[in-house]
Structures are given as C-alpha cells and as structure tokens.
Amino acid sequence: QKEVEQNSGPLSVPEGAIASLNCTYSDRGSQSFFWYRQYSGKSPELIMSIYSNGDKEDGRFTAQLNKASQYVSLLIRDSQPSDSATYLCAVPEGGNNDMRFGAGTRLTVKP
Amino acid sequence: SAVISQKPSRDICQRGTSLTIQCQVDSQVTMMFWYRQQPGQSLTLIATANQGSEATYESGFVIDKFPISRPNLTFSTLTVSNMSPEDSSIYLCSVSVYNEQFFGPGTRLTVL
C-alpha cells in the first residue's frame, strides 16, 4: 500500500523562526506533491504544490522536493502565531487524482 | 480553484438512523471525492464519484453503508447509513481542478 509519512509532532517554534516540516512517500512513480494547512475545526486549505525536484518559493513558504530520496518538505520562514495549524502532506494515488494524506504535523508558533 | 458548500454543517444523530450530506460546487467538475476525518486523525478517502457512473469505493468502505449519488457535474450526496457512534467524524467533499484538490467546509457528524 502506498504510504505518506509525516512526523506528527507537535512542532513548536518561536515567532520569527523557520519551521521545517517533512514528509516521505513510498511510491517512486509519484509526480506531484501538495501541502495543506488545516486550522482547528476547519477544512484543509491548499498552500503549496510542487512537481519538480528542487525548491519552490511562495512568499514565506518554500516547498522542497527530492524524488531520489522520496521526500518533500515545507519551510515556513519568519513564522507567525497565525501559522499555528496542522500541515498535511498529500500525494495523488490513483488515476482519478485522489489524494493520500499523511498524518499531519501540528505546528505551534509561540509569540 | 472552486467554491464548495456542504449541508448540513453539523448534525447530531441517533444510532441506527441515516444522514445524507449534500455537496455543491460552483463550477462543473468531473471528479468529486468524499473523505472522512475522525477526531485527531488525518483524512481518509471514502469514495470517488464520477458523474454518470457508480462511485468507486476505497478498501474498508462499502456502498451499502455509504451510498453516493452524483446526478450532475456540480452536485453530489453522501449518505451515512445505519449509523453507529463509530461513524462520528467530519465528512469532507472535495473536487479536483487542474490536478489540485479543494475541500468543502465539512460536515461534523456526532452519533449518539
């Protein structure tokens, strides 16, 4: 069975620091990868997608992909208390583009 | 992206009853997905609903328990049948747009 693994945390960082979230996946054929943010009591919100090896930056967020090592990470620079949420890594599994989600990493940014 | 609404947003139901959850999208989409998120857990795919054909269920989920309708390209329903307390969960509808998935606000179900 295809797996998506994340450290469930919790991960706590001080305000202004860099938060680093990691994800590994088992299917070497995976071509696209997604990071979702989920605030407590809310539904997941897509924040980053990455398809190629290397880094992809969007504001304070950087996604990093290494297909050879089968890991994808999300860096959050200048972390803010409003970044406190659970971050979910997702990888499409089937031909219908249905997603397999990791367990999620709960991030707390302390003022 | 897509704007997705779900009804009801939450419900409290008695054991043995059924609840139908509605999902409406603001644009036509081929695939709609139903997920379950149990308390403190990640998302688990229940089924994929393609308009005009029967839904495809994931391992551990069956049509008798979770019948799905997909009458057109903007609407789907998920029914949770013969509910038990173990069905207490958040049920999420999602759609795929240009290979990215977007989620509805979810339906929080509590079964007593």
Side-chain angles (χ1 to χ4, degrees):
Chain A
Q1 188 176 19
K2 299 171 185 175
E3 300 290 339
V4 179
E5 303 281 347
Q6 289 182 257
N7 185 336
S8 62
L11 174 65
S12 181
V13 300
E15 183 175 355
I18 296 175
S20 178
L21 306 160
N22 299 312
C23 172
T24 60
Y25 58 94
S26 63
D27 183 9
R28 283 195 170 275
S30 297
Q31 296 296 316
S32 53
F33 308 86
F34 302 89
W35 282 99
Y36 287 82
R37 176 177 62 198
Q38 187 173 26
Y39 291 114
S40 180
K42 302 294 185 182
S43 62
E45 170 193 11
L46 180 65
I47 55 172
M48 287 287 284
S49 60
I50 187 166
Y51 302 91
S52 304
N53 276 331
D55 295 359
K56 178 183 178 183
E57 188 174 315
D58 184 1
R60 294 185 297 110
F61 297 96
T62 299
Q64 298 176 319
L65 174 60
N66 184 323
K67 291 185 179 179
S69 300
Q70 294 176 246
Y71 85 79
V72 57
S73 62
L74 180 70
L75 302 178
I76 306 175
R77 290 183 302 282
D78 188 23
S79 295
Q80 302 297 308
S82 59
D83 295 326
S84 298
T86 295
Y87 290 81
L88 298 159
C89 175
V91 181
E93 184 171 52
N96 294 327
N97 210 40
D98 48 285
M99 295 284 183
R100 179 167 290 276
F101 285 83
T105 299
R106 179 177 294 181
L107 171 67
T108 300
V109 181
K110 295 186 175 181
Chain B
S1 65
V3 178
I4 306 167
S5 60
Q6 284 185 236
K7 286 195 288 188
S9 59
R10 59 177 62 228
D11 207 342
I12 301 173
C13 301
Q14 295 297 319
R15 180 195 300 260
T17 63
S18 298
L19 176 71
T20 295
I21 302 168
Q22 299 179 7
C23 177
Q24 181 76 51
V25 190
D26 69 339
S27 58
Q28 294 184 338
V29 293
T30 304
M31 295 292 180
M32 296 179 77
F33 306 91
W34 287 99
Y35 287 84
R36 180 174 74 182
Q37 188 172 30
Q38 295 181 305
Q41 303 296 313
S42 188
L43 285 79
T44 300
L45 180 65
I46 298 172
T48 301
N50 191 2
Q51 194 269 334
S53 63
E54 281 198 6
T56 302
Y57 289 83
E58 296 298 302
S59 176
F61 298 96
V62 295
I63 188 171
D64 289 347
K65 175 68 175 178
F66 297 101
I68 288 171
S69 78
R70 183 78 202 276
N72 57 55
L73 291 172
T74 64
F75 187 79
S76 179
T77 68
L78 169 76
T79 299
V80 186
S81 303
N82 188 25
M83 288 183 285
S84 67
E86 291 71 34
D87 294 318
S88 297
S89 188
I90 298 173
Y91 292 85
L92 293 149
C93 168
S94 78
V95 302
S96 181
V97 179
Y98 297 119
N99 292 327
E100 296 181 344
Q101 271 198 28
F102 301 93
F103 286 85
T107 295
R108 183 180 294 272
L109 171 62
T110 301
V111 184
L112 303 177

